[in-house]
Amino acid sequence: MTHRTLSTDVLGVCFLLAFSATVLQGCGGGATTTTITTTTTITTTTVTTHTTVPPTPAPPPPPQTPLRPLLGISYGALPCGHRFADPCDPNTLPPADMMTEGYRTQWGPSNSLTGFKGRDDLGAMKALGANTVRLYHSLGYKQDQKYETSDEDHSGFLDHAHWLGMHVLPGYHSGGMPCPNFDCYELWKENTLKGFKQGFAKNGTWHPAVAVLILLNEPDFLGGQPDCLPKGAAWCRVKAVLSALDGVLAAEKEAGVTQWGVNFTATWSFAQMTSIDGKVTGPGVFGFQDMVAGIARPSIANYTTRTPQEEMEEAFLTRWTHGLNVQAPYDYVQGVVRAAYKKNADFGGHPWFIGEDGELWQKPKAIKHSASDAKNDANAGGYFLGMSFFQFETTYWKGGTEMNFGIFGLGNDTIGKTPKLNGIERNVHCLTATLTHDGGLNDLNDQRALPLAEAWGGSLEHISGLCKPTNVVEKPLIT
């Protein structure tokens, strides 16, 4: 028997603390405590892998760590584009869903019993001090017909993350805006139902590693779509998010999958915009007010909900977390958002987090300062949950300004290979903590892993995927 305790604080935010996950719920009312007794069965999930990679046996997972403070790392490390790696031919670009078995050689650990070699990127995040991984294209990812898709099983990734005590923030694929007239209900419902069959559901609930579902990433850019008229209109972005939420709720109901412990978010950009109701103007926070206004009156976004209005409002009240992506230093972002919360009646009483913290052009000392301050602010309570650092690996395959981000780069040595991804077995290279490369970070800014580890109480010492000898700076940062 296990006991789960549900509490609400004076901020109107519920904290659900349990052995499997701790997720903040936006609730109203005063301080109350209800004890719920349930029976929890821990089972072993069989992971289907390609024939050369048998699953790694593992003991039952340890208790899940609290989500506050959210210490996350954004993960989208496609194995191509670096001068040591395979080229990124647009016609053979590997699938963007990193949670599948096709990428086990990257995210999974080695297995001495089978001889399987894995870089264990999830283990590297844990070693740095992270407790959360944020992902993209995890549900609903479909490539053009000229591309293959990777093995769609996600249970191995989720099981390994859960065993490490890591929360998972999977994102829905929304590239190219596949929703007709910005109505995502049917597609998000379909993709959620498929996700339940691909490992996202376990024992009748969402997989215990799943903490927050990212319905859309930077939906404010939908204002640039040709069919969003007048150009830049707010109804397009708000309708997309409302209908996506509507579709996921419908999928949960149809599949009989309980929502316990899983929140929703949309991560807005830090662009300067005005909310759909005209009440809030500011970077990112316009989206927070968009959701408050859109849930209260969906017709403001030209949308009629299929889920009963009271159920939409209940889901928003109890399961919504505001989110935004930034490149600016944390202290500046925190100041802007804190002032907006104070001025705008706390945006419905919901917590917020930074889905991508880019720290563009920041030196190691500044990165350590930002990561440390964010952790302390999240621990202090209030509306701020924490941040996801952008990103695990330099995005060589994108090039351009994306070369200015990343915790790790790639070295020359290979650890193993992926199975065929769009017809090519990809080399998986070792990681380097020094990021200096042509067209990217300069010598003053090329250490991002170490300051993050120092701020989060982690270390580079036990990261098995680092190149040998490692590029670890042994002395504390002074630059």
Side-chain angles (χ1 to χ4, degrees):
M1 304 291 288
T2 61
H3 298 274
R4 300 173 183 175
T5 301
L6 182 65
S7 304
T8 63
D9 64 12
V10 294
L11 294 175
V13 179
C14 267
F15 294 84
L16 187 56
L17 298 125
F19 88 133
S20 62
T22 299
V23 178
L24 278 95
Q25 311 277 334
C27 302
T32 62
T33 301
T34 303
T35 301
I36 305 171
T37 303
T38 63
T39 301
T40 302
T41 303
I42 300 176
T43 62
T44 301
T45 298
T46 301
V47 179
T48 302
T49 64
H50 56 283
T51 56
T52 58
V53 187
T56 303
Q64 197 81 337
T65 57
L67 186 59
R68 178 189 290 270
L70 190 159
L71 308 177
I73 294 175
S74 302
Y75 189 54
L78 296 189
C80 65
H82 188 266
R83 64 181 182 274
F84 297 135
D86 301 296
C88 282
D89 184 334
N91 293 317
T92 57
L93 194 67
D97 179 4
M98 295 294 301
M99 292 181 68
T100 62
E101 283 298 311
Y103 291 110
R104 178 179 282 269
T105 313
Q106 289 181 241
W107 54 256
S110 296
N111 185 332
S112 58
L113 296 178
T114 64
F116 171 67
K117 299 295 185 181
R119 197 169 66 187
D120 197 10
D121 291 351
L122 286 174
M125 297 179 204
K126 184 71 174 181
L128 289 174
N131 61 16
T132 302
V133 54
R134 183 247 166 105
L135 295 116
Y136 309 80
H137 314 287
S138 311
L139 294 109
Y141 180 68
K142 295 180 180 179
Q143 292 189 315
D144 295 339
Q145 294 299 313
K146 61 184 176 181
Y147 295 148
E148 293 178 13
T149 57
S150 61
D151 184 337
E152 294 182 338
D153 181 28
H154 295 70
S155 58
F157 184 101
L158 290 165
D159 287 345
H160 184 42
H162 186 49
W163 185 81
L164 290 170
M166 297 276 288
H167 301 282
V168 178
L169 278 55
Y172 283 76
H173 175 68
S174 57
M177 191 67 262
C179 307
N181 197 30
F182 305 99
D183 186 343
C184 297
Y185 174 86
E186 293 292 348
L187 190 55
W188 261 240
K189 178 183 176 182
E190 174 189 346
N191 291 335
T192 303
L193 291 171
K194 288 181 178 178
F196 291 150
K197 298 177 181 179
Q198 295 168 352
F200 282 99
K202 189 172 185 178
N203 299 330
T205 68
W206 284 93
H207 191 288
V210 177
V212 183
L213 297 169
I214 302 174
L215 299 176
L216 283 100
N217 185 51
E218 299 183 351
D220 40 299
F221 286 111
L222 295 177
Q225 294 287 319
D227 50 348
C228 181
L229 299 173
K231 185 176 181 179
W235 70 266
C236 309
R237 66 187 189 237
V238 180
K239 182 178 179 180
V241 181
L242 290 177
S243 57
L245 173 60
D246 198 356
V248 178
L249 293 175
E252 289 180 337
K253 184 179 293 187
E254 181 175 314
V257 172
T258 58
Q259 55 80 22
W260 183 83
V262 175
N263 270 18
F264 301 111
T265 194
T267 45
W268 307 92
S269 82
F270 207 53
Q272 181 84 1
M273 294 187 182
T274 298
S275 62
I276 192 169
D277 60 1
K279 292 184 177 180
V280 174
T281 297
V285 293
F286 66 87
F288 298 4
Q289 183 61 27
D290 275 350
M291 292 308 300
V292 173
I295 288 290
R297 185 162 61 95
S299 61
I300 198 174
N302 303 327
Y303 186 63
T304 301
T305 64
R306 283 79 150 185
T307 298
Q309 176 66 14
E310 59 271 20
E311 293 181 22
M312 289 284 288
E313 292 177 358
E314 177 67 15
F316 183 66
L317 177 68
T318 60
R319 301 176 64 184
W320 190 262
T321 298
H322 294 306
L324 77 169
N325 299 335
V326 301
Q327 296 184 15
Y330 166 74
D331 288 346
Y332 172 74
V333 175
Q334 176 64 268
V336 169
V337 178
R338 184 184 287 123
Y341 262 84
K342 183 176 180 180
K343 182 179 180 181
N344 297 286
D346 68 28
F347 295 114
H350 299 281
W352 71 282
F353 79 109
I354 297 174
E356 291 178 359
D357 181 69
E359 299 292 329
L360 182 62
W361 299 115
Q362 297 303 297
K363 297 179 180 179
K365 186 175 182 180
I367 291 173
K368 179 181 178 181
H369 175 77
S370 289
S372 179
D373 281 358
K375 179 180 179 180
N376 292 336
D377 287 346
N379 274 327
Y383 295 111
F384 181 63
L385 282 183
M387 70 178 188
S388 180
F389 197 85
F390 187 75
Q391 55 192 341
F392 181 80
E393 180 186 301
T394 300
T395 312
Y396 301 103
W397 62 278
K398 287 186 177 180
T401 58
E402 293 284 341
M403 300 288 281
N404 297 318
F405 304 101
I407 298 170
F408 296 107
L410 296 178
N412 186 36
D413 295 339
T414 58
I415 292 175
K417 285 181 176 290
T418 69
K420 285 188 176 181
L421 299 172
N422 289 337
I424 300 175
E425 292 183 350
R426 310 280 176 169
N427 288 314
V428 175
H429 289 258
C430 62
L431 302 171
T432 172
T434 300
L435 302 178
T436 301
H437 51 72
D438 295 338
L441 300 170
N442 59 38
D443 289 339
L444 294 178
N445 304 342
D446 63 5
Q447 289 282 346
R448 293 164 80 85
L450 186 62
L452 200 60
E454 291 186 352
W456 286 354
S459 169
L460 276 66
E461 183 178 354
H462 300 295
I463 297 178
S464 61
L466 281 175
C467 303
K468 309 297 183 185
T470 62
N471 291 310
V472 179
V473 178
E474 300 295 342
K475 60 184 180 181
L477 293 169
I478 58 174
T479 57

PDB file of all heavy atoms in Angstrom, residues 5 85 244 303 314 408:
ATOM      1  N   THR A   5      -0.405  12.148  -0.808  1.00  0.00           N
ATOM      2  CA  THR A   5      -0.990  13.290  -0.109  1.00  0.00           C
ATOM      3  C   THR A   5      -1.139  14.453  -1.050  1.00  0.00           C
ATOM      4  O   THR A   5      -0.181  14.866  -1.696  1.00  0.00           O
ATOM      5  CB  THR A   5      -0.103  13.706   1.083  1.00  0.00           C
ATOM      6  OG1 THR A   5       0.011  12.602   1.950  1.00  0.00           O
ATOM      7  CG2 THR A   5      -0.735  14.876   1.822  1.00  0.00           C
ATOM      8  N   ALA A  85      30.848  13.606 -37.617  1.00  0.00           N
ATOM      9  CA  ALA A  85      29.667  12.751 -37.744  1.00  0.00           C
ATOM     10  C   ALA A  85      29.193  12.667 -39.188  1.00  0.00           C
ATOM     11  O   ALA A  85      29.795  13.226 -40.102  1.00  0.00           O
ATOM     12  CB  ALA A  85      28.557  13.275 -36.838  1.00  0.00           C
ATOM     13  N   ALA A 244      -5.931  21.761 -29.072  1.00  0.00           N
ATOM     14  CA  ALA A 244      -4.998  20.692 -28.721  1.00  0.00           C
ATOM     15  C   ALA A 244      -5.309  20.144 -27.332  1.00  0.00           C
ATOM     16  O   ALA A 244      -5.360  18.923 -27.119  1.00  0.00           O
ATOM     17  CB  ALA A 244      -3.560  21.209 -28.785  1.00  0.00           C
ATOM     18  N   TYR A 303     -13.347  29.471 -31.472  1.00  0.00           N
ATOM     19  CA  TYR A 303     -13.336  28.037 -31.182  1.00  0.00           C
ATOM     20  C   TYR A 303     -14.527  27.653 -30.320  1.00  0.00           C
ATOM     21  O   TYR A 303     -14.916  28.392 -29.399  1.00  0.00           O
ATOM     22  CB  TYR A 303     -12.044  27.643 -30.462  1.00  0.00           C
ATOM     23  CG  TYR A 303     -11.919  26.153 -30.256  1.00  0.00           C
ATOM     24  CD1 TYR A 303     -11.833  25.294 -31.345  1.00  0.00           C
ATOM     25  CD2 TYR A 303     -11.916  25.604 -28.977  1.00  0.00           C
ATOM     26  CE1 TYR A 303     -11.739  23.917 -31.172  1.00  0.00           C
ATOM     27  CE2 TYR A 303     -11.813  24.236 -28.785  1.00  0.00           C
ATOM     28  CZ  TYR A 303     -11.734  23.395 -29.896  1.00  0.00           C
ATOM     29  OH  TYR A 303     -11.644  22.035 -29.723  1.00  0.00           O
ATOM     30  N   GLU A 314     -11.979  22.984 -15.600  1.00  0.00           N
ATOM     31  CA  GLU A 314     -11.412  22.190 -14.513  1.00  0.00           C
ATOM     32  C   GLU A 314      -9.991  21.724 -14.858  1.00  0.00           C
ATOM     33  O   GLU A 314      -9.081  21.768 -14.012  1.00  0.00           O
ATOM     34  CB  GLU A 314     -12.298  20.986 -14.234  1.00  0.00           C
ATOM     35  CG  GLU A 314     -11.769  20.028 -13.157  1.00  0.00           C
ATOM     36  CD  GLU A 314     -11.747  20.623 -11.770  1.00  0.00           C
ATOM     37  OE1 GLU A 314     -12.399  21.670 -11.547  1.00  0.00           O
ATOM     38  OE2 GLU A 314     -11.066  20.037 -10.896  1.00  0.00           O
ATOM     39  N   PHE A 408      27.087  20.108 -24.429  1.00  0.00           N
ATOM     40  CA  PHE A 408      28.164  19.260 -24.918  1.00  0.00           C
ATOM     41  C   PHE A 408      28.327  19.409 -26.427  1.00  0.00           C
ATOM     42  O   PHE A 408      27.378  19.711 -27.146  1.00  0.00           O
ATOM     43  CB  PHE A 408      27.874  17.790 -24.604  1.00  0.00           C
ATOM     44  CG  PHE A 408      27.827  17.453 -23.147  1.00  0.00           C
ATOM     45  CD1 PHE A 408      26.622  17.179 -22.518  1.00  0.00           C
ATOM     46  CD2 PHE A 408      28.989  17.420 -22.392  1.00  0.00           C
ATOM     47  CE1 PHE A 408      26.568  16.865 -21.174  1.00  0.00           C
ATOM     48  CE2 PHE A 408      28.959  17.115 -21.048  1.00  0.00           C
ATOM     49  CZ  PHE A 408      27.740  16.832 -20.430  1.00  0.00           C
TER      50      PHE A 408
END
